[in-house]
Amino acid sequence: MEQENTVIKKRLSRLREAMKENGIDYYLMPTSDFHNSEYSADFFKVREYFCGFDGSNGTLVVSADEAGLWTDGRYFIQAENQLAGTGVTLFRMMEAGVPTIDEYLLANMKEGQVLGFDGRVLSAGIGQRYENELAPKGVSLKIDKDLAEEVWTERPALPCHDMYVLSDELCGQSFKQKLELVRGRMKEYGTQHYLLSKLDDIMWLTNLRGNDVECNPVALCYAYITMSDFVLFAQSKEITAEVKSYCESKGIKLCDYHELVSFIKDIRPEGDILFDKRNTNFLTYRVLKQLAAGSGRDLKNEKDPTEILKACKNETELKNIREVYLRDSAKLTEFIYWVKTNVGKIPMTEYSAAMKLDSMRAKLPGFIELSFPTISAYNANAAMAHYEATEDNCAEVKPQGLLLVDSGGTYMGGTTDVTRTMVVGPVSDEIKRHYTATVAGMLRLSKANFLEGCSGKNVDILARGPLWNMGIDYKHGTGHGIGYILNVHEGPQNIRWRFAAGADEAALLPGMIVSDEPGVYIEGSHGIRIENILEVVAGQENEYGRFLHFAHLTYAPIDLEAIDTAYMTSEDIENLNEYHALVYEKVSPYISDEKVLEWLKEATRAL
Amino acid sequence: MEQENTVIKKRLSRLREAMKENGIDYYLMPTSDFHNSEYSADFFKVREYFCGFDGSNGTLVVSADEAGLWTDGRYFIQAENQLAGTGVTLFRMMEAGVPTIDEYLLANMKEGQVLGFDGRVLSAGIGQRYENELAPKGVSLKIDKDLAEEVWTERPALPCHDMYVLSDELCGQSFKQKLELVRGRMKEYGTQHYLLSKLDDIMWLTNLRGNDVECNPVALCYAYITMSDFVLFAQSKEITAEVKSYCESKGIKLCDYHELVSFIKDIRPEGDILFDKRNTNFLTYRVLKQLAAGSGRDLKNEKDPTEILKACKNETELKNIREVYLRDSAKLTEFIYWVKTNVGKIPMTEYSAAMKLDSMRAKLPGFIELSFPTISAYNANAAMAHYEATEDNCAEVKPQGLLLVDSGGTYMGGTTDVTRTMVVGPVSDEIKRHYTATVAGMLRLSKANFLEGCSGKNVDILARGPLWNMGIDYKHGTGHGIGYILNVHEGPQNIRWRFAAGADEAALLPGMIVSDEPGVYIEGSHGIRIENILEVVAGQENEYGRFLHFAHLTYAPIDLEAIDTAYMTSEDIENLNEYHALVYEKVSPYISDEKVLEWLKEATRAL
């Protein structure tokens, strides 16, 4: 008989009391912060607190007599273990016969009942969907209560770290210049008021940075923009003297982060209000709707104009990015050398290797933080989509097979992301076949010439082609955009072979930077991914339009020990030789250790 | 001073009288038949009759004191000449400052005025747009009058040719089997009534054929389908005894073509009515709307379910198509031999060469008609997008440069389409570079492996890539679908790098056939296009999905005299050699002339 989890049961019973006091019949806890960030701080781990499940995706729904957790296939086993004895039912998402949350609520909630959730941790779209689906049943929503506030006594504080200012020289454009561009777009949309909720967009626009989200140099904040005012809502404690003085000098009005709602309630806008539903939480959306209705204005749901402005890097950003990528590539090269020369000779685990790389990177000039937690996965572990090695739970790296390391840093000068899969010992012919095709695909995409107007959908097949020719696919996109001293994942561009219905299939434009990361994942055997970051470069413009192509930003060796030219066309071989010649040429000036240089010369030899 | 065109002026004045009698202030004449067919019969050339302009695209708008013709850039010069002295103003579409038809009507029409047009020759979408735009101005529409009927005294008759029956054996599926599939889709849409207006879809569904549209073996008709009935509206004179008896035996109820509207007015549908707005004319659409409103039903605007069923050829169709393409390819091969051995020795013009090919094709077993008018264009003429050589106006083919021939036939067993560009004399290095890249692109696309779910957008870059690498593009799609003993252009699939907003980016599916026709067009110099037809074939299905690839249907030699391997990768050379080996192997059994065979052997030699 399974043991009772009395800790969780007590927490749930206190939650149910709070629900009763607040007139809430069903309480829903998703996995998000107030801005739908990629990483949620401990403060936001309400779902984990109330059911014990700590996977990266899950929604907990609690009623007076039932509690259910929804999560996806990656986490079924983990969730089953962590929910044992809690009385919480596991709903295996996407499995036949398992209701979705919407279906569950529709089937169970009764007329007059109330669904509660913190309206700040649910996106406008999802909140609206619940509202529309449940209204006909006579169910209402209560979204202004974070019940965890009352029940979770030892809750970690809301992240609150000092903000800081990037110089205009480092950013290439001043806040004022950027604001002018944004206001220009607002005019095009015919709006005079604009609520911006997306953290990295606000950072980009203000040339400020923060530290409230893991691996993302962003502060929790909102921005309210009119043709005359710019109001930044941030936690007062984060506003250092430097930031305060910067804001004063730039005409940025400061309000506390928590004052947004009351601020909006007092506005009397003269025109329609611009916002981007994708990036707005449900509470903010409802407040905006009330504002619009109360003032006889319309809400204009458009893509945040900051998104595309941020995505197309300016010349200063590009210059700095290129330099940062060379330093980062050189450091990775030294790491690869370290792994390949030490494996089997010193104790080495996935975790210790990752720590080694992280500490090497931390020594680079201008290092701020990792751009995401380093992925270090040995052999079969690399075939698991979301494998995470921890100190207590990781494989030893033996002199056999492959070690995949996906890593990056944020520096004063750019944010990097790179994956190399290293040969640490003998590899099979199958592995060589997969490795070679992956490399061929990465390089074919990097050599593409295409007309402006193409999206990632047009070029994806260049990377995927060599694998598709072998009947193999990878179940992830080929490429994502990357921020400048910002988030390692940013839109709007994506290189994918298919897009979700309604997704923004954004055109590739000069100045965008994008990853190029095909891979092969064979369950129980091995995982291979090779990721370079590319810059989109304008080529000739003629009667046909403007041609674009890519330039590499990443210059790190690709392991020739897993390359078999029998699986390459002569063009693929040329591509690899050309790339490797550039790697040596560009990266060697950043490497001082003669042994590494000697090794690199050999590692980048022409085939 | 330009001479007055009294013929046109008289016609216009009679039209204006008729407008007055019918209470019409502005009368609009587009270029279409009642089914938006690719080719319009003489009966439909109303616009040409009233202004003299006979280009393939143009809309004439006439009011009491003004007349304007809208056409596109291809026809500006021609239209200027043909409109001289008519008093009709030329509106150059897409030129700065030139109003669109919509803008013109909005600016000129006054409250209470009436816009007239024959509601059968305008699509539902465009008609509705005029209606919606003009209604707020107080302008109403009169769409049930074809004023040409009253004015155009010597008007050619509506096309009316005997229909005929294809055997179930030739079609691979009986009408009954197809109807069951269509009714299945109707159920999925939740509809019990379905009006089908698309001619080739009705032909496909009924296994009937006709001859009312140039190069399209279709009859003017409509089909009204319920769960119990199938009513075919066709001109009574077209119904031969054979067709009548076939229809009787299959339960196809026959009504006259002109009875559709009165028939619909009498229906009392029990459920919603399915139709495809893209393929429905405005008059029919309005009648359907009245029917729906009057019976409390809804119109369900969905893609004609016949479209995708027709596009994915069945095994019998594919077997016949493969055979027909071999015969057609062999005939083209003989023609190429004829051109190359006779050029400079006998009188040869673009037109006479086309006639030669047409007459050769006509001798093939089961030949019905050309699938489109043969395009034969010499050197610089081939660079013009819509060049048409006529007996009186065509270039002599000299032993210098290139002759582009794009042609095809409809046979009992399939419809073909193929383009070859032949070297008829010395060619420049530039031409070889362009020719070689075009061939490389055509072959690269033909070798694609891709996952089911990909559309033409995913693979287009394979064909275009070698040209894009040179900074060259072609301003047309790479590929279109092709009918079975039907229209040479059919949907829904298309291979393009971009689609118009809202266009159907249909996935490629097994059994579809699609053209692969990259090209280079250098104004004043040369035009190159190489077009093969490909079949989409299912490959392996595994954990990643189902893989698809292409197989060639066309097997005709590609002119090695314009190939320079210096511009090819080793893979491109392999592709060409492999293709040419197949050409010889597959086509030689269909060629009896030893001289041609000997030449073909050499023409398909490995490089």
Side-chain angles (χ1 to χ4, degrees), chain A residues 487-522:
Chain A
N487 300 1
V488 75
H489 297 135
E490 70 168 34
Q493 75 272 28
N494 266 299
I495 301 180
R496 319 182 64 87
W497 72 273
R498 54 180 168 184
F499 284 74
D504 180 16
E505 203 186 297
L508 294 166
L509 292 172
M512 282 184 170
I513 69 175
V514 66
S515 71
D516 170 8
E517 46 180 312
V520 174
Y521 308 95
I522 307 296

Side-chain angles (χ1 to χ4, degrees), chain B residues 368-388:
Chain B
I368 298 169
E369 62 185 328
L370 297 183
S371 58
F372 58 97
T374 298
I375 296 169
S376 172
Y378 179 60
N379 285 345
N381 289 344
M384 288 188 268
H386 293 264
Y387 178 71
E388 201 192 325

Side-chain angles (χ1 to χ4, degrees), chain A residues 449-572:
Chain A
N449 287 287
F450 51 96
L451 273 170
E452 190 167 325
C454 278
S455 74
K457 189 168 184 175
N458 291 104
V459 298
D460 183 88
I461 198 170
L462 301 175
R464 235 174 264 265
L467 295 168
W468 279 0
N469 288 342
M470 295 172 11
I472 291 177
D473 187 39
Y474 46 94
K475 292 179 179 175
H476 57 74
T478 297
H480 58 81
I482 298 160
Y484 175 72
I485 325 182
L486 266 178
N487 300 1
V488 75
H489 297 135
E490 70 168 34
Q493 75 272 28
N494 266 299
I495 301 180
R496 319 182 64 87
W497 72 273
R498 54 180 168 184
F499 284 74
D504 180 16
E505 203 186 297
L508 294 166
L509 292 172
M512 282 184 170
I513 69 175
V514 66
S515 71
D516 170 8
E517 46 180 312
V520 174
Y521 308 95
I522 307 296
E523 206 187 318
S525 173
H526 58 277
I528 296 162
R529 184 165 61 252
I530 307 286
E531 176 188 25
N532 270 21
I533 308 305
L534 310 175
E535 172 190 343
V536 182
V537 181
Q540 65 173 302
E541 189 161 0
N542 59 25
E543 68 215 90
Y544 305 111
R546 179 156 69 157
F547 283 91
L548 305 178
H549 59 273
F550 296 114
H552 290 283
L553 289 167
T554 310
Y555 289 100
I558 289 165
D559 206 322
L560 294 178
E561 291 188 67
I563 295 283
D564 187 338
T565 53
Y567 304 124
M568 299 168 99
T569 67
S570 54
E571 208 178 12
D572 291 331

Side-chain angles (χ1 to χ4, degrees), chain B residues 199-210 218-219 221 486:
Chain B
L199 301 185
D200 55 334
D201 287 43
I202 300 171
M203 297 294 105
W204 169 82
L205 175 52
T206 56
N207 290 346
L208 293 168
R209 294 295 184 272
V218 300
C221 60
L486 266 179

Side-chain angles (χ1 to χ4, degrees), chain A residues 457-458 469 497 505 570, chain B residues 449 457-458 469 497 505 570:
Chain A
K457 189 168 184 175
N458 291 104
N469 288 342
W497 72 273
E505 203 186 297
S570 54
Chain B
N449 287 287
K457 189 168 185 175
N458 292 103
N469 287 343
W497 72 274
E505 203 186 296
S570 54

Side-chain angles (χ1 to χ4, degrees), chain B residues 487-537:
Chain B
N487 300 1
V488 75
H489 297 134
E490 69 168 34
Q493 75 274 24
N494 265 300
I495 301 181
R496 321 181 63 86
W497 72 274
R498 54 180 169 185
F499 284 75
D504 181 16
E505 203 186 296
L508 294 166
L509 292 172
M512 282 183 170
I513 69 176
V514 65
S515 71
D516 170 7
E517 46 179 314
V520 173
Y521 308 95
I522 305 297
E523 205 186 318
S525 173
H526 58 277
I528 296 161
R529 183 165 64 250
I530 307 287
E531 175 188 26
N532 270 21
I533 308 304
L534 309 175
E535 171 190 343
V536 181
V537 181

Side-chain angles (χ1 to χ4, degrees), chain B residues 314-586:
Chain B
N314 64 44
E315 269 313 314
T316 303
E317 290 172 327
L318 288 171
K319 197 176 137 279
N320 293 338
I321 288 169
R322 290 180 198 125
E323 170 82 17
V324 154
Y325 270 81
L326 289 183
R327 291 185 193 280
D328 191 78
S329 295
K331 204 45 82 184
L332 182 70
T333 300
E334 290 174 359
F335 170 71
I336 295 171
Y337 171 80
W338 177 86
V339 168
K340 290 179 70 89
T341 51
N342 286 298
V343 67
K345 295 176 192 155
I346 63 169
M348 192 186 297
T349 65
E350 294 166 328
Y351 183 79
S352 74
M355 288 305 104
K356 173 76 182 175
L357 176 57
D358 294 353
S359 69
M360 290 170 78
R361 217 171 227 130
K363 288 178 199 129
L364 277 173
F367 178 81
I368 298 169
E369 62 185 328
L370 297 183
S371 58
F372 58 97
T374 298
I375 296 169
S376 172
Y378 179 60
N379 285 345
N381 289 344
M384 288 188 268
H386 293 264
Y387 178 71
E388 201 192 325
T390 59
E391 187 160 14
D392 305 331
N393 192 2
C394 68
E396 188 191 337
V397 181
K398 296 178 192 163
Q400 185 274 316
L402 301 173
L403 177 65
L404 182 156
V405 178
D406 188 350
S407 66
T410 293
Y411 307 88
M412 287 291 181
T415 298
T416 70
D417 185 4
V418 57
T419 309
R420 284 296 181 269
T421 306
M422 291 159 267
V423 176
V424 290
V427 291
S428 66
D429 181 64
E430 189 199 26
I431 285 181
K432 286 188 182 175
R433 210 153 53 87
H434 294 166
Y435 195 100
T436 304
T438 304
V439 171
M442 189 280 280
L443 291 171
R444 285 188 196 179
L445 174 57
S446 77
K447 299 284 286 182
N449 287 287
F450 51 94
L451 273 171
E452 189 167 326
C454 278
S455 74
K457 189 168 185 175
N458 292 103
V459 298
D460 183 87
I461 198 170
L462 300 175
R464 236 174 262 266
L467 296 168
W468 279 1
N469 287 343
M470 295 170 13
I472 291 177
D473 187 37
Y474 45 95
K475 291 179 179 177
H476 57 74
T478 298
H480 58 81
I482 298 159
Y484 175 72
I485 324 182
L486 266 179
N487 300 1
V488 75
H489 297 134
E490 69 168 34
Q493 75 274 24
N494 265 300
I495 301 181
R496 321 181 63 86
W497 72 274
R498 54 180 169 185
F499 284 75
D504 181 16
E505 203 186 296
L508 294 166
L509 292 172
M512 282 183 170
I513 69 176
V514 65
S515 71
D516 170 7
E517 46 179 314
V520 173
Y521 308 95
I522 305 297
E523 205 186 318
S525 173
H526 58 277
I528 296 161
R529 183 165 64 250
I530 307 287
E531 175 188 26
N532 270 21
I533 308 304
L534 309 175
E535 171 190 343
V536 181
V537 181
Q540 64 173 303
E541 188 159 3
N542 59 25
E543 67 216 89
Y544 305 111
R546 179 155 69 158
F547 283 90
L548 306 178
H549 58 274
F550 296 114
H552 289 283
L553 289 168
T554 309
Y555 288 100
I558 289 164
D559 206 322
L560 293 178
E561 290 188 68
I563 294 283
D564 186 337
T565 54
Y567 305 123
M568 299 168 100
T569 68
S570 54
E571 208 178 13
D572 291 330
I573 298 172
E574 257 171 57
N575 288 346
L576 180 57
N577 290 341
E578 187 190 290
Y579 176 68
H580 265 156
L582 283 173
V583 169
Y584 189 81
E585 179 192 322
K586 289 183 177 274

